[in-house]
Short mmCIF file of all heavy atoms in Angstrom, two decimals:
data_model
loop_
_atom_site.label_atom_id
_atom_site.label_comp_id
_atom_site.label_asym_id
_atom_site.label_seq_id
_atom_site.Cartn_x
_atom_site.Cartn_y
_atom_site.Cartn_z
N MET A 22 1.78 13.19 11.34
CA MET A 22 0.59 12.37 11.27
C MET A 22 0.71 11.45 10.06
O MET A 22 1.08 11.88 8.98
CB MET A 22 -0.64 13.25 11.14
CG MET A 22 -1.91 12.49 11.06
SD MET A 22 -3.29 13.65 11.10
CE MET A 22 -4.33 12.93 9.88
N ASP A 23 0.39 10.19 10.25
CA ASP A 23 0.37 9.24 9.14
C ASP A 23 -1.04 9.17 8.58
O ASP A 23 -2.01 9.05 9.33
CB ASP A 23 0.78 7.85 9.62
CG ASP A 23 2.21 7.82 10.14
OD1 ASP A 23 3.03 8.59 9.63
OD2 ASP A 23 2.50 7.04 11.05
N ALA A 24 -1.15 9.24 7.27
CA ALA A 24 -2.45 9.15 6.63
C ALA A 24 -2.29 8.52 5.26
O ALA A 24 -1.24 8.64 4.62
CB ALA A 24 -3.09 10.52 6.49
N CYS A 25 -3.33 7.83 4.83
CA CYS A 25 -3.32 7.20 3.52
C CYS A 25 -4.74 7.27 2.98
O CYS A 25 -5.70 6.95 3.68
CB CYS A 25 -2.85 5.75 3.63
SG CYS A 25 -2.83 4.90 2.04
N ALA A 26 -4.89 7.68 1.74
CA ALA A 26 -6.20 7.73 1.10
C ALA A 26 -6.19 6.80 -0.11
O ALA A 26 -5.21 6.77 -0.86
CB ALA A 26 -6.52 9.15 0.66
N VAL A 27 -7.25 6.04 -0.26
CA VAL A 27 -7.37 5.12 -1.38
C VAL A 27 -8.71 5.38 -2.05
O VAL A 27 -9.75 5.36 -1.39
CB VAL A 27 -7.29 3.64 -0.91
CG1 VAL A 27 -7.48 2.70 -2.06
CG2 VAL A 27 -5.98 3.39 -0.19
N ASP A 28 -8.71 5.64 -3.35
CA ASP A 28 -9.94 5.91 -4.10
C ASP A 28 -10.60 4.58 -4.45
O ASP A 28 -10.04 3.78 -5.19
CB ASP A 28 -9.61 6.69 -5.36
CG ASP A 28 -10.86 7.08 -6.15
OD1 ASP A 28 -11.98 6.78 -5.70
OD2 ASP A 28 -10.70 7.69 -7.22
N VAL A 29 -11.76 4.34 -3.90
CA VAL A 29 -12.50 3.10 -4.17
C VAL A 29 -13.78 3.38 -4.94
O VAL A 29 -14.71 2.57 -4.94
CB VAL A 29 -12.79 2.33 -2.85
CG1 VAL A 29 -11.52 1.85 -2.21
CG2 VAL A 29 -13.60 3.18 -1.89
N THR A 30 -13.82 4.49 -5.64
CA THR A 30 -14.98 4.86 -6.43
C THR A 30 -15.34 3.73 -7.39
O THR A 30 -14.49 3.22 -8.11
CB THR A 30 -14.71 6.15 -7.22
OG1 THR A 30 -14.34 7.18 -6.32
CG2 THR A 30 -15.92 6.57 -8.02
N GLY A 31 -16.59 3.33 -7.38
CA GLY A 31 -17.07 2.30 -8.30
C GLY A 31 -16.82 0.87 -7.83
O GLY A 31 -17.17 -0.07 -8.54
N LEU A 32 -16.22 0.69 -6.68
CA LEU A 32 -15.96 -0.65 -6.15
C LEU A 32 -16.96 -0.98 -5.05
O LEU A 32 -17.44 -0.09 -4.35
CB LEU A 32 -14.54 -0.74 -5.60
CG LEU A 32 -13.40 -0.44 -6.57
CD1 LEU A 32 -12.06 -0.50 -5.84
CD2 LEU A 32 -13.42 -1.42 -7.73
N GLU A 33 -17.27 -2.24 -4.91
CA GLU A 33 -18.18 -2.67 -3.85
C GLU A 33 -17.35 -2.99 -2.61
O GLU A 33 -16.86 -4.10 -2.45
CB GLU A 33 -18.97 -3.90 -4.30
CG GLU A 33 -19.94 -3.60 -5.42
CD GLU A 33 -20.79 -4.80 -5.79
OE1 GLU A 33 -21.05 -5.65 -4.91
OE2 GLU A 33 -21.18 -4.88 -6.95
N VAL A 34 -17.19 -1.99 -1.75
CA VAL A 34 -16.40 -2.13 -0.53
C VAL A 34 -17.18 -1.59 0.65
O VAL A 34 -18.11 -0.81 0.48
CB VAL A 34 -15.03 -1.42 -0.64
CG1 VAL A 34 -14.19 -2.05 -1.72
CG2 VAL A 34 -15.21 0.05 -0.91
N ALA A 35 -16.76 -2.00 1.84
CA ALA A 35 -17.39 -1.53 3.06
C ALA A 35 -16.32 -1.27 4.10
O ALA A 35 -15.19 -1.77 3.98
CB ALA A 35 -18.38 -2.57 3.58
N VAL A 36 -16.66 -0.49 5.10
CA VAL A 36 -15.74 -0.23 6.19
C VAL A 36 -15.33 -1.56 6.80
O VAL A 36 -16.16 -2.44 7.04
CB VAL A 36 -16.41 0.67 7.26
CG1 VAL A 36 -15.53 0.80 8.48
CG2 VAL A 36 -16.74 2.03 6.67
N GLY A 37 -14.03 -1.74 7.00
CA GLY A 37 -13.51 -2.96 7.57
C GLY A 37 -12.96 -3.94 6.54
O GLY A 37 -12.32 -4.92 6.90
N ASP A 38 -13.23 -3.70 5.25
CA ASP A 38 -12.68 -4.58 4.21
C ASP A 38 -11.17 -4.43 4.15
O ASP A 38 -10.63 -3.35 4.41
CB ASP A 38 -13.26 -4.22 2.83
CG ASP A 38 -14.70 -4.67 2.66
OD1 ASP A 38 -15.21 -5.38 3.54
OD2 ASP A 38 -15.30 -4.30 1.64
N ARG A 39 -10.48 -5.50 3.81
CA ARG A 39 -9.02 -5.47 3.67
C ARG A 39 -8.65 -4.89 2.31
O ARG A 39 -9.37 -5.09 1.33
CB ARG A 39 -8.44 -6.86 3.81
CG ARG A 39 -8.52 -7.36 5.22
CD ARG A 39 -7.91 -8.73 5.32
NE ARG A 39 -7.90 -9.13 6.71
CZ ARG A 39 -6.84 -9.58 7.33
NH1 ARG A 39 -5.70 -9.72 6.70
NH2 ARG A 39 -6.91 -9.91 8.60
N VAL A 40 -7.52 -4.21 2.29
CA VAL A 40 -7.03 -3.59 1.07
C VAL A 40 -5.57 -3.97 0.88
O VAL A 40 -4.79 -3.93 1.82
CB VAL A 40 -7.14 -2.04 1.15
CG1 VAL A 40 -6.51 -1.38 -0.06
CG2 VAL A 40 -8.58 -1.62 1.30
N GLU A 41 -5.21 -4.36 -0.32
CA GLU A 41 -3.81 -4.63 -0.65
C GLU A 41 -3.32 -3.50 -1.54
O GLU A 41 -3.76 -3.35 -2.67
CB GLU A 41 -3.68 -5.96 -1.40
CG GLU A 41 -2.27 -6.30 -1.76
CD GLU A 41 -2.16 -7.62 -2.48
OE1 GLU A 41 -2.54 -8.65 -1.91
OE2 GLU A 41 -1.72 -7.60 -3.64
N LEU A 42 -2.43 -2.67 -0.99
CA LEU A 42 -1.89 -1.55 -1.76
C LEU A 42 -0.79 -2.01 -2.70
O LEU A 42 -0.66 -1.51 -3.80
CB LEU A 42 -1.37 -0.46 -0.82
CG LEU A 42 -2.42 0.11 0.14
CD1 LEU A 42 -1.78 1.15 1.03
CD2 LEU A 42 -3.60 0.68 -0.61
N PHE A 43 -0.01 -2.96 -2.25
CA PHE A 43 0.96 -3.66 -3.09
C PHE A 43 1.28 -4.97 -2.42
O PHE A 43 1.19 -5.10 -1.21
CB PHE A 43 2.22 -2.85 -3.37
CG PHE A 43 2.80 -2.14 -2.19
CD1 PHE A 43 3.64 -2.80 -1.31
CD2 PHE A 43 2.53 -0.81 -1.96
CE1 PHE A 43 4.19 -2.15 -0.22
CE2 PHE A 43 3.08 -0.14 -0.88
CZ PHE A 43 3.91 -0.82 0.00
N GLY A 44 1.55 -5.97 -3.21
CA GLY A 44 1.82 -7.30 -2.67
C GLY A 44 1.66 -8.35 -3.75
O GLY A 44 2.00 -8.12 -4.90
N ALA A 45 1.08 -9.47 -3.38
CA ALA A 45 0.96 -10.60 -4.30
C ALA A 45 0.08 -10.29 -5.51
O ALA A 45 0.30 -10.82 -6.59
CB ALA A 45 0.39 -11.81 -3.55
N HIS A 46 -0.91 -9.42 -5.34
CA HIS A 46 -1.84 -9.13 -6.43
C HIS A 46 -1.57 -7.80 -7.13
O HIS A 46 -2.22 -7.50 -8.14
CB HIS A 46 -3.27 -9.16 -5.89
CG HIS A 46 -3.64 -10.48 -5.31
ND1 HIS A 46 -3.58 -10.74 -3.96
CD2 HIS A 46 -4.00 -11.64 -5.90
CE1 HIS A 46 -3.93 -11.99 -3.75
NE2 HIS A 46 -4.18 -12.56 -4.91
N ARG A 47 -0.69 -7.01 -6.59
CA ARG A 47 -0.33 -5.73 -7.22
C ARG A 47 1.14 -5.46 -6.94
O ARG A 47 1.54 -5.24 -5.80
CB ARG A 47 -1.17 -4.59 -6.67
CG ARG A 47 -0.81 -3.28 -7.33
CD ARG A 47 -1.89 -2.27 -7.21
NE ARG A 47 -1.60 -1.17 -8.11
CZ ARG A 47 -2.28 -0.07 -8.13
NH1 ARG A 47 -3.27 0.08 -7.32
NH2 ARG A 47 -1.98 0.89 -8.97
N MET A 48 1.92 -5.48 -7.98
CA MET A 48 3.36 -5.30 -7.84
C MET A 48 3.68 -3.87 -7.39
O MET A 48 2.98 -2.91 -7.72
CB MET A 48 4.07 -5.60 -9.15
CG MET A 48 3.89 -7.03 -9.64
SD MET A 48 4.64 -8.24 -8.53
CE MET A 48 3.23 -8.86 -7.64
N LEU A 49 4.73 -3.75 -6.63
CA LEU A 49 5.14 -2.47 -6.06
C LEU A 49 5.39 -1.43 -7.14
O LEU A 49 4.96 -0.29 -7.02
CB LEU A 49 6.40 -2.67 -5.19
CG LEU A 49 6.97 -1.43 -4.54
CD1 LEU A 49 5.95 -0.79 -3.60
CD2 LEU A 49 8.24 -1.78 -3.79
N ASP A 50 6.08 -1.81 -8.21
CA ASP A 50 6.37 -0.85 -9.27
C ASP A 50 5.11 -0.40 -9.99
O ASP A 50 5.02 0.74 -10.45
CB ASP A 50 7.38 -1.43 -10.26
CG ASP A 50 8.77 -1.52 -9.67
OD1 ASP A 50 9.08 -0.70 -8.76
OD2 ASP A 50 9.55 -2.38 -10.10
N ASP A 51 4.11 -1.26 -10.10
CA ASP A 51 2.83 -0.87 -10.70
C ASP A 51 2.12 0.15 -9.81
O ASP A 51 1.54 1.13 -10.30
CB ASP A 51 1.94 -2.09 -10.92
CG ASP A 51 2.49 -3.04 -11.96
OD1 ASP A 51 3.34 -2.63 -12.78
OD2 ASP A 51 2.08 -4.22 -11.95
N ALA A 52 2.15 -0.07 -8.50
CA ALA A 52 1.54 0.88 -7.57
C ALA A 52 2.28 2.21 -7.63
O ALA A 52 1.67 3.28 -7.59
CB ALA A 52 1.55 0.32 -6.15
N GLY A 53 3.60 2.16 -7.72
CA GLY A 53 4.39 3.38 -7.84
C GLY A 53 4.05 4.15 -9.10
O GLY A 53 3.88 5.37 -9.07
N ALA A 54 3.95 3.45 -10.22
CA ALA A 54 3.61 4.10 -11.48
C ALA A 54 2.24 4.76 -11.41
O ALA A 54 2.04 5.88 -11.89
CB ALA A 54 3.66 3.10 -12.63
N ALA A 55 1.28 4.08 -10.77
CA ALA A 55 -0.07 4.64 -10.62
C ALA A 55 -0.05 5.89 -9.74
O ALA A 55 -0.88 6.79 -9.92
CB ALA A 55 -1.02 3.60 -10.03
N ALA A 56 0.91 5.96 -8.82
CA ALA A 56 1.03 7.12 -7.94
C ALA A 56 1.95 8.20 -8.53
O ALA A 56 2.18 9.23 -7.90
CB ALA A 56 1.57 6.68 -6.58
N GLY A 57 2.51 7.93 -9.70
CA GLY A 57 3.38 8.91 -10.34
C GLY A 57 4.78 8.93 -9.75
O GLY A 57 5.44 9.98 -9.77
N THR A 58 5.24 7.81 -9.23
CA THR A 58 6.57 7.73 -8.62
C THR A 58 7.15 6.35 -8.87
O THR A 58 6.71 5.65 -9.77
CB THR A 58 6.48 8.07 -7.11
OG1 THR A 58 7.80 8.15 -6.59
CG2 THR A 58 5.66 7.07 -6.34
N ILE A 59 8.12 5.95 -8.07
CA ILE A 59 8.70 4.62 -8.17
C ILE A 59 8.40 3.84 -6.90
O ILE A 59 8.09 4.43 -5.85
CB ILE A 59 10.23 4.69 -8.42
CG1 ILE A 59 10.95 5.40 -7.27
CG2 ILE A 59 10.53 5.35 -9.75
CD1 ILE A 59 12.47 5.35 -7.36
N GLY A 60 8.49 2.52 -6.99
CA GLY A 60 8.19 1.67 -5.86
C GLY A 60 9.01 1.97 -4.63
O GLY A 60 8.51 1.96 -3.50
N TYR A 61 10.30 2.24 -4.82
CA TYR A 61 11.18 2.53 -3.68
C TYR A 61 10.67 3.71 -2.87
O TYR A 61 10.72 3.69 -1.64
CB TYR A 61 12.60 2.80 -4.17
CG TYR A 61 13.54 3.17 -3.04
CD1 TYR A 61 14.09 2.18 -2.23
CD2 TYR A 61 13.84 4.49 -2.77
CE1 TYR A 61 14.92 2.51 -1.18
CE2 TYR A 61 14.67 4.83 -1.72
CZ TYR A 61 15.22 3.85 -0.93
OH TYR A 61 16.03 4.17 0.12
N GLU A 62 10.15 4.72 -3.53
CA GLU A 62 9.65 5.90 -2.81
C GLU A 62 8.44 5.52 -1.95
O GLU A 62 8.28 6.02 -0.84
CB GLU A 62 9.29 7.03 -3.77
CG GLU A 62 8.92 8.31 -3.05
CD GLU A 62 8.71 9.48 -3.97
OE1 GLU A 62 8.91 9.36 -5.18
OE2 GLU A 62 8.34 10.55 -3.45
N LEU A 63 7.60 4.64 -2.45
CA LEU A 63 6.45 4.18 -1.65
C LEU A 63 6.93 3.47 -0.39
O LEU A 63 6.42 3.70 0.70
CB LEU A 63 5.55 3.25 -2.47
CG LEU A 63 4.84 3.86 -3.66
CD1 LEU A 63 3.99 2.79 -4.34
CD2 LEU A 63 3.99 5.05 -3.27
N LEU A 64 7.91 2.58 -0.55
CA LEU A 64 8.42 1.85 0.61
C LEU A 64 9.10 2.76 1.61
O LEU A 64 8.91 2.62 2.82
CB LEU A 64 9.41 0.77 0.15
CG LEU A 64 8.81 -0.43 -0.56
CD1 LEU A 64 9.92 -1.39 -0.95
CD2 LEU A 64 7.78 -1.12 0.30
N SER A 65 9.89 3.71 1.13
CA SER A 65 10.63 4.57 2.05
C SER A 65 9.73 5.58 2.75
O SER A 65 10.12 6.15 3.77
CB SER A 65 11.77 5.29 1.31
OG SER A 65 11.25 6.14 0.32
N ALA A 66 8.52 5.77 2.26
CA ALA A 66 7.58 6.70 2.89
C ALA A 66 6.81 6.06 4.05
O ALA A 66 6.14 6.75 4.80
CB ALA A 66 6.61 7.24 1.85
N ILE A 67 6.90 4.75 4.19
CA ILE A 67 6.20 4.05 5.28
C ILE A 67 6.98 4.29 6.56
O ILE A 67 8.15 3.95 6.66
CB ILE A 67 6.08 2.55 5.00
CG1 ILE A 67 5.29 2.33 3.71
CG2 ILE A 67 5.41 1.85 6.17
CD1 ILE A 67 5.27 0.90 3.24
N THR A 68 6.33 4.87 7.54
CA THR A 68 7.02 5.24 8.78
C THR A 68 7.29 4.03 9.66
O THR A 68 6.72 2.95 9.46
CB THR A 68 6.20 6.26 9.58
OG1 THR A 68 5.01 5.64 10.04
CG2 THR A 68 5.86 7.49 8.75
N ALA A 69 8.12 4.22 10.65
CA ALA A 69 8.49 3.15 11.58
C ALA A 69 7.32 2.69 12.44
O ALA A 69 7.37 1.61 13.04
CB ALA A 69 9.65 3.60 12.46
N ARG A 70 6.26 3.49 12.52
CA ARG A 70 5.10 3.10 13.33
C ARG A 70 4.28 1.98 12.71
O ARG A 70 3.47 1.35 13.38
CB ARG A 70 4.21 4.31 13.57
CG ARG A 70 4.87 5.34 14.43
CD ARG A 70 4.02 6.52 14.79
NE ARG A 70 2.78 6.66 14.03
CZ ARG A 70 1.88 7.56 14.27
NH1 ARG A 70 2.07 8.43 15.24
NH2 ARG A 70 0.80 7.65 13.56
N VAL A 71 4.49 1.73 11.42
CA VAL A 71 3.77 0.65 10.75
C VAL A 71 4.49 -0.66 11.04
O VAL A 71 5.68 -0.79 10.77
CB VAL A 71 3.70 0.90 9.23
CG1 VAL A 71 3.03 -0.26 8.52
CG2 VAL A 71 2.97 2.21 8.95
N PRO A 72 3.80 -1.65 11.60
CA PRO A 72 4.45 -2.93 11.91
C PRO A 72 4.90 -3.64 10.64
O PRO A 72 4.22 -3.58 9.63
CB PRO A 72 3.38 -3.74 12.63
CG PRO A 72 2.17 -2.92 12.70
CD PRO A 72 2.39 -1.63 11.99
N ARG A 73 6.05 -4.27 10.72
CA ARG A 73 6.57 -5.04 9.59
C ARG A 73 6.39 -6.52 9.89
O ARG A 73 6.66 -6.98 10.99
CB ARG A 73 8.07 -4.78 9.40
CG ARG A 73 8.37 -3.65 8.44
CD ARG A 73 8.17 -2.35 9.11
NE ARG A 73 8.79 -1.27 8.32
CZ ARG A 73 8.35 -0.08 8.30
NH1 ARG A 73 7.30 0.26 9.01
NH2 ARG A 73 8.95 0.85 7.58
N ILE A 74 5.92 -7.25 8.89
CA ILE A 74 5.80 -8.70 8.99
C ILE A 74 6.59 -9.27 7.82
O ILE A 74 6.23 -9.06 6.66
CB ILE A 74 4.33 -9.15 8.93
CG1 ILE A 74 3.54 -8.52 10.07
CG2 ILE A 74 4.24 -10.67 8.97
CD1 ILE A 74 2.05 -8.72 9.98
N TYR A 75 7.68 -9.94 8.13
CA TYR A 75 8.54 -10.49 7.08
C TYR A 75 8.14 -11.93 6.82
O TYR A 75 8.04 -12.74 7.75
CB TYR A 75 10.01 -10.41 7.51
CG TYR A 75 10.47 -8.99 7.69
CD1 TYR A 75 10.45 -8.38 8.94
CD2 TYR A 75 10.90 -8.25 6.60
CE1 TYR A 75 10.87 -7.07 9.10
CE2 TYR A 75 11.30 -6.93 6.75
CZ TYR A 75 11.30 -6.34 8.01
OH TYR A 75 11.70 -5.05 8.16
N VAL A 76 7.87 -12.25 5.56
CA VAL A 76 7.45 -13.58 5.16
C VAL A 76 8.50 -14.13 4.20
O VAL A 76 8.87 -13.46 3.23
CB VAL A 76 6.08 -13.52 4.47
CG1 VAL A 76 5.64 -14.91 4.03
CG2 VAL A 76 5.05 -12.88 5.37
N SER A 77 8.98 -15.32 4.48
CA SER A 77 10.00 -15.89 3.58
C SER A 77 9.37 -16.68 2.46
O SER A 77 8.25 -17.03 2.46
CB SER A 77 10.94 -16.78 4.37
OG SER A 77 10.23 -17.81 4.99
#
């Protein structure tokens, strides 16, 4: 089973809002450090069921 939990305590969010876990506004290595790991581990944990969109 694929699951992801994001703590939004104290933020003004609602069901259906978009979330950027890493990308243009949050670097992968910063997200990894916040999770207590490295960016590569975050990427390698994403299963094949998640669609990939490659942007040049």
Side-chain angles (χ1 to χ4, degrees):
M22 180 173 139
D23 297 329
C25 179
V27 178
D28 184 2
V29 294
T30 303
L32 301 177
E33 292 184 29
V34 297
V36 173
D38 286 352
R39 289 181 175 231
V40 175
E41 180 179 299
L42 301 179
F43 44 83
H46 300 98
R47 180 159 193 188
M48 298 295 101
L49 180 60
D50 288 333
D51 294 340
T58 187
I59 61 173
Y61 177 80
E62 187 174 357
L63 295 180
L64 288 179
S65 63
I67 300 172
T68 67
R70 293 184 347 175
V71 176
R73 268 78 165 150
I74 301 171
Y75 297 95
V76 179
S77 59

